[in-house]
Amino acid sequence: MRTIFTAEMSELADDLEAMAKHVKVAIDRANEALLTRNVELAQAVIAEDAELDRLEATVDERCVMLIAQQQPVSIDLRTIITSLRMSASLERMGDLAQHIAEVARRSYPESAVPEHFTQKFTDLAQAASEAAGALVELAKTRDLNTAAEIVEDDDNLDRLHSEIYGELVSDGYDGSHQETLNVALMARYYERFGDHAVSVSRRVVYLVTGDHSHDGGKI
Amino acid sequence: MRTIFTAEMSELADDLEAMAKHVKVAIDRANEALLTRNVELAQAVIAEDAELDRLEATVDERCVMLIAQQQPVSIDLRTIITSLRMSASLERMGDLAQHIAEVARRSYPESAVPEHFTQKFTDLAQAASEAAGALVELAKTRDLNTAAEIVEDDDNLDRLHSEIYGELVSDGYDGSHQETLNVALMARYYERFGDHAVSVSRRVVYLVTGDHSHDGGKI
């Protein structure tokens, strides 16, 4: 019984790592679709989000089965409940990558990013990609230094989001309403992406250290 | 032991009902703050969100304790895991009410809603308030007809959101960038509020019927 349980717990960790990898691919493709006006790539991101939803359902089912059949306690129970929360955040990160791809697709053959904002969105794309990459690393290694990197990426996303909003309402700005709408929404998608990355990383820290003071007291 | 467990399960249901009530108050106040330029009320919504976060932490803690100490199976386990998910959605609904209040506060003494959009936002406010009221009712009665009402409210929120975005990019529209930004963001907050309401109601349906075909297969 114990051996089956250990194998199941290891598969749970693999599933979460697979979800993190999927998110990394999705955000990288969404970034490229956005910055290079690649509508086929945008389409691919949108189509492949269903796979992430399927992975989330697998994780959730495995967690419920593990609790029901194995009645785990202490650290194992903590891992399972935390995994449930992580799968929800990773699924949401995939949705946000999908939303970015949708804006890119809707704007095609125009770019969804007005020329004036190219650098800011290049930086947003970079920070989001780094955060997703660090999540994959964290899922693999549980190295807590990686969690600190994710917080830094999130700080960059917050700063860029806030700078972009400042520009949108500044006197000099003269974009069209459609441009304003695209820029505002996408900046917000990136910003939320960073929030979820931090949330996942804090749960990993909690699992490794048992300390959830980094997570507002939440598991 | 069984009696303590039953009492704990009943308190869990009470906590979720309290969270739903808190969300209803928050969205009603945020609506009023927004539509009547009441900055004190906006401030109150923002300040009181911490209480909802505290309630969420209480629910989560109770769920983990219940699983660890009581090793529940079958329907009880399903209820506990579903409660964890519901508390996360309710907490997020509170955040969205808070975001609406933040836009109202930031715009003060101006209204965050341009005159042209007053009717649309009155309708958004109405639909969101109804959805939150139906959630309180659903938490109390578990009457599945209430779940259908929430889907209808969400359809209204989606339609209004989409109509507003259509107007923002139409030729006739000539609002300022700040107005465009406020309108776009708040319409999205309302739309997301509806999504979470539907998510909570589907989980209640799942608890009552055991049928999660309404929930995309997710618990």
Side-chain angles (χ1 to χ4, degrees):
Chain A
M1 196 73 166
R2 187 68 206 168
T3 314
I4 295 169
F5 183 70
T6 309
E8 286 272 349
M9 290 296 281
S10 155
E11 280 177 40
L12 182 57
D14 290 348
D15 285 345
L16 285 169
E17 194 182 322
M19 286 190 79
K21 281 181 181 159
H22 194 290
V23 167
K24 169 81 168 111
V25 170
I27 194 68
D28 283 348
R29 288 183 171 179
N31 287 339
E32 194 182 333
L34 182 66
L35 296 170
T36 67
R37 284 183 300 148
N38 183 333
V39 73
E40 286 81 16
L41 207 53
Q43 188 55 46
V45 174
I46 295 162
E48 284 160 20
D49 189 59
E51 170 64 14
L52 193 60
D53 295 346
R54 200 193 55 74
L55 274 169
E56 187 198 16
T58 305
V59 168
D60 289 359
E61 225 167 277
R62 199 187 294 280
C63 288
V64 173
M65 292 276 288
L66 276 169
I67 297 177
Q69 296 176 347
Q70 311 281 347
Q71 313 214 325
V73 287
S74 182
I75 176 74
D76 290 333
L77 179 60
R78 192 167 76 179
T79 302
I80 294 169
I81 301 276
T82 304
S83 300
L84 273 172
R85 295 227 178 273
M86 287 199 282
S87 77
S89 284
L90 288 165
E91 190 269 334
R92 188 72 200 132
M93 291 174 82
D95 284 348
L96 291 164
Q98 184 187 359
H99 290 338
I100 293 166
E102 280 164 352
V103 179
R105 183 175 67 174
R106 205 159 49 229
S107 305
Y108 186 81
E110 300 299 313
S111 173
V113 178
E115 210 180 321
H116 173 68
F117 286 99
T118 307
Q119 188 57 52
K120 291 271 190 247
F121 276 89
T122 306
D123 294 347
L124 281 171
Q126 170 85 14
S129 173
E130 278 177 18
L135 272 191
V136 173
E137 195 57 29
L138 188 62
K140 253 193 237 169
T141 63
R142 307 226 159 169
D143 170 6
L144 298 189
N145 291 321
T146 317
E149 283 172 35
I150 294 169
V151 170
E152 210 172 290
D153 293 326
D154 181 52
D155 287 345
N156 282 331
L157 289 168
D158 285 349
R159 180 181 49 75
L160 288 160
H161 171 258
S162 153
E163 286 171 4
I164 286 170
Y165 273 40
E167 286 202 36
L168 287 180
V169 300
S170 69
D171 287 341
Y173 173 68
D174 65 349
S176 73
H177 293 302
Q178 181 68 66
E179 283 172 352
T180 306
L181 203 56
N182 285 345
V183 167
L185 283 179
M186 289 191 300
R188 179 152 173 88
Y189 297 147
Y190 279 108
E191 186 253 343
R192 292 290 301 152
F193 188 91
D195 288 345
H196 284 286
V198 168
S199 160
V200 173
S201 75
R202 283 185 176 156
R203 295 189 198 289
V204 175
V205 171
Y206 168 62
L207 280 182
V208 173
T209 65
D211 175 8
H212 56 199
S213 65
H214 306 284
D215 191 28
K218 287 181 211 168
I219 54 155
Chain B
M1 195 73 167
R2 186 70 206 169
T3 313
I4 295 168
F5 183 68
T6 309
E8 287 272 349
M9 290 296 281
S10 155
E11 280 177 41
L12 182 57
D14 290 348
D15 285 345
L16 285 169
E17 195 183 321
M19 287 189 78
K21 281 180 181 160
H22 195 291
V23 167
K24 169 81 168 109
V25 170
I27 194 69
D28 282 348
R29 288 183 170 179
N31 287 339
E32 193 182 334
L34 182 65
L35 296 170
T36 68
R37 285 181 300 149
N38 184 332
V39 74
E40 286 81 16
L41 207 52
Q43 188 55 47
V45 173
I46 296 161
E48 284 159 20
D49 189 60
E51 170 63 14
L52 193 60
D53 295 347
R54 202 193 54 75
L55 275 169
E56 187 198 14
T58 306
V59 168
D60 289 359
E61 225 168 277
R62 199 187 293 281
C63 288
V64 173
M65 291 277 286
L66 276 169
I67 297 175
Q69 296 177 349
Q70 312 282 347
Q71 313 214 325
V73 288
S74 182
I75 176 74
D76 290 332
L77 178 60
R78 193 167 76 179
T79 302
I80 295 169
I81 301 276
T82 304
S83 301
L84 274 172
R85 294 227 179 274
M86 287 198 283
S87 77
S89 284
L90 288 165
E91 189 268 335
R92 188 71 199 130
M93 290 174 82
D95 284 348
L96 291 164
Q98 184 187 1
H99 290 337
I100 292 167
E102 281 163 352
V103 179
R105 182 175 67 172
R106 203 158 52 228
S107 304
Y108 186 82
E110 300 299 313
S111 172
V113 178
E115 210 180 321
H116 175 66
F117 286 99
T118 306
Q119 188 56 52
K120 292 272 190 242
F121 276 89
T122 305
D123 294 347
L124 280 171
Q126 171 85 13
S129 174
E130 279 178 16
L135 271 191
V136 173
E137 195 57 27
L138 188 63
K140 253 194 236 168
T141 63
R142 306 228 159 168
D143 170 5
L144 298 189
N145 292 321
T146 318
E149 283 170 35
I150 293 169
V151 170
E152 212 172 287
D153 294 326
D154 181 52
D155 287 345
N156 282 332
L157 290 167
D158 285 349
R159 180 181 49 76
L160 289 160
H161 171 258
S162 153
E163 286 171 4
I164 288 170
Y165 274 39
E167 287 201 35
L168 287 180
V169 300
S170 69
D171 287 342
Y173 173 70
D174 66 348
S176 74
H177 292 301
Q178 181 68 68
E179 284 172 352
T180 307
L181 203 56
N182 286 345
V183 168
L185 283 179
M186 290 191 300
R188 180 154 171 85
Y189 296 147
Y190 279 109
E191 186 252 342
R192 291 291 300 152
F193 189 90
D195 289 346
H196 284 288
V198 168
S199 159
V200 173
S201 74
R202 284 186 176 156
R203 295 190 198 288
V204 176
V205 171
Y206 168 63
L207 279 183
V208 174
T209 65
D211 176 8
H212 55 197
S213 64
H214 307 284
D215 191 28
K218 286 180 210 167
I219 53 154

